[in-house]
Amino acid sequence: MSQPVQPPNQPQQPYGGQPVEGNPYAGGPGQPAAPTGNPYGQQTPGEPTGNPYGQQTPAAPTGNPYGQQAPGDPSGNPFAGQQPGQGTPFGGGAPFTPAPPARNNILLGVAVALGVAILAGILYGAIAGSIEREVGYAAVGVGFLVGFASSKVGGSHPAVIGAAAVLSIGAVYLGQLVGISMVLSDLAQIPLSEVIGDHFDTVTEAWSQEADFMTYLFLALGAVAAVGGAKKAG
């Protein structure tokens, strides 16, 4: 017996329903809802998606070590969130501020200039009295020593340099008086302490009578040398 042959290319209906409004996949009553153009339209909120980060909660850790930075630090500076009291990444706190050096103490520099001037003046007078003449190099040395020592301690402040110059003149003058006292002590055959203590007016009068151009030149050389010594130390 033969069976009837179906006509070729008969439209198939894979889901058992009739086309609905031109959608060949639309199901009939009782069929699942037809898929739409959104491939994720049927996903439930908890259903995994193709996005590996879709289910991460806001607090979930990420691979970014800076991912948990608070909003307001978008500058990219990894240390922007540090509090003012926190230390630096190298273990230190605020930069260390060194104390001002002692050489900037003006009063101390002037005091040193005074002490050195007295000692250098006495030494200069001892040299001048022993050879019974003044030496220009010795006067220069006195001034240089006073200026250098004062500026080394008190800095190169103009007040320190000015004080060193004035005290150097006094040191050379003191040395000249000591030299004259030594000469008078030898001439009068009396102790040096007695000449200075009991006859100091005679010493100053002798200085006034013996002072000449070279005497004042040595005073000036002491002041100039003091300024040079102070600049050398500074």
Side-chain angles (χ1 to χ4, degrees), residues 38-49:
N38 183 6
Y40 307 108
Q42 297 300 322
Q43 292 178 349
T44 61
E47 183 179 354
T49 66

Side-chain angles (χ1 to χ4, degrees), residues 89-162:
F90 301 101
F96 176 73
T97 303
R103 62 175 297 168
N104 291 329
N105 192 328
I106 298 177
L107 295 179
L108 183 59
V110 174
V112 170
L114 177 61
V116 174
I118 294 175
L119 295 177
I122 295 174
L123 180 60
Y124 174 70
I127 295 175
S130 61
I131 63 176
E132 297 185 359
R133 67 177 62 186
E134 293 185 73
V135 180
Y137 291 110
V140 171
V142 169
F144 184 87
L145 184 60
V146 173
F148 185 86
S150 62
S151 184
K152 197 68 175 178
V153 175
S156 57
H157 194 278
V160 177
I161 298 177

